């Protein structure tokens, strides 16, 4: 199970964005509206990786445009980072969810390791085009996709790590020289928290650990 055969070699971001709609690299494309590819300037210096599109992203076709996206925008702003200068994508390009009752919002399901690995060729292709100076992993799924299954966001968030030297497969992630990765919580954790302000502040503090570039 892998997206490999569906990723056009050497393609530009726009071409990749078109091609991902035909991906059958894992079963997650079934029962979705569309694949959601990354977005942002092709010359972005910062690449932000989330988990997978949510209900709203699946309908609209753009990453982080729902409630978690609003938290992300606010947190980036509070940390002095401008969303419009950042390339934002997800580890998995199709929305994994439980079927919902008619008219109800579909409930997100965490992608598993096989799906993350299957979808990785798309993420690798995005790295090859962007060659980021800074990488931000939002939450456990993104962190595991980039750093391997043993990485713990709860323990190692907000710490700049040499990139891609810290990656599970460094050769997979073309990046600028002296690049750095910072892992943090997923913005949706803020929405689920009892103390939203404190969790939001933690997210912002982690984002401030991203060295200026
Ligand atoms: N959560 C994510 O991880 N990515 C999105 O695009 C939206 C919500
Ligand atoms: Fe392809 Fe990724 Fe969608 Fe699976 S989740 S079908 S690998 S784009």
């Amino acid at each position: 199970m892998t997206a490999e055969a569906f990723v056009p070699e050497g393609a530009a971001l726009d071409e990749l964005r078109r091609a991902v709609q035909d991906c059958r690299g894992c079963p997650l494309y079934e029962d979705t509206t569309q694949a959601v590819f990354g977005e942002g300037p092709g010359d972005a210096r910062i690449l932000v990786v989330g988990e997978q599109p949510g209900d709203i992203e699946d309908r609209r076709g753009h990453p982080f445009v729902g409630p978690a996206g609003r938290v992300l925008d606010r947190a980036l702003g509070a940390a002095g980072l401008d969303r419009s200068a950042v390339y934002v994508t997800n580890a998995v390009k199709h929305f994994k969810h439980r079927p919902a009752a008619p008219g109800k919002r579909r409930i997100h399901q965490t992608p598993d390791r096989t799906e993350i690995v299957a979808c990785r060729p798309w993420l690798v292709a995005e790295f090859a085009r962007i060659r980021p100076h800074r990488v931000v992993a939002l939450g456990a799924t993104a962190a595991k996709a980039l750093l391997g299954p043993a990485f713990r966001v709860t323990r190692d968030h907000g710490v700049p790590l040499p990139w891609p030297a810290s990656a599970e497969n460094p050769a997979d992630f073309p990046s600028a020289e002296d690049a750095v990765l910072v892992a943090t919580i997923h913005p949706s954790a803020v929405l689920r928290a009892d103390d939203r302000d404190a969790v939001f502040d933690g997210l912002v503090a982690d984002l401030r650990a991203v060295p200026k570039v």
Side-chain angles (χ1 to χ4, degrees):
M1 213 165 72
T2 172
E4 196 88 57
F6 299 92
V7 182
E9 219 172 303
L13 285 169
D14 284 350
E15 209 178 326
L16 292 167
R17 196 171 289 113
R18 276 192 296 276
V20 75
Q21 299 305 336
D22 298 323
C23 186
R24 304 290 180 262
C26 81
L28 289 186
Y29 70 89
E30 296 165 12
D31 200 26
T32 60
T33 313
Q34 57 197 315
V36 178
F37 204 61
E39 285 182 0
D43 61 354
R45 297 186 146 233
I46 305 180
L47 196 165
V48 173
V49 183
E51 184 192 68
Q52 61 166 2
D55 181 79
I56 293 179
E57 288 78 12
D58 170 78
R59 294 172 201 270
R60 297 202 192 147
H62 304 288
F64 280 105
V65 290
R70 282 191 288 281
V71 175
L72 175 63
D73 289 354
R74 257 197 320 128
L76 287 171
L81 302 166
D82 178 5
R83 160 106 184 229
S84 65
V86 167
Y87 186 89
V88 178
T89 193
N90 286 300
V92 170
K93 303 319 194 223
H94 276 103
F95 175 38
K96 183 176 181 182
H97 59 277
R98 281 199 289 274
K104 287 269 162 52
R105 201 159 54 87
R106 295 161 296 172
I107 305 298
H108 156 280
Q109 279 188 303
T110 304
D112 62 31
R113 176 87 188 145
T114 51
E115 291 148 355
I116 294 168
V117 171
C119 208
R120 186 151 67 180
W122 293 110
L123 187 61
V124 167
E126 289 176 297
F127 269 83
R129 300 280 81 76
I130 302 287
R131 292 190 155 264
H133 294 250
R134 305 288 180 255
V135 181
V136 177
L138 298 173
T141 298
K144 287 173 194 292
L146 294 166
L147 297 152
F151 188 84
R152 295 284 172 270
V153 174
T154 42
R155 191 186 58 203
D156 295 322
H157 62 95
V159 181
L161 302 170
W163 185 260
S166 309
E168 190 183 17
N169 303 295
D172 276 356
F173 295 105
S175 299
E177 223 170 297
D178 298 326
V180 166
L181 174 142
V182 174
T184 185
I185 59 163
H186 193 283
S188 65
V190 173
L191 300 170
R192 287 194 306 268
D194 292 330
D195 188 349
R196 288 187 180 196
D197 289 347
V199 177
F200 179 79
D201 290 347
L203 170 59
V204 173
D206 286 351
L207 292 173
R208 286 204 177 113
V210 177
K212 292 281 168 280
V213 64

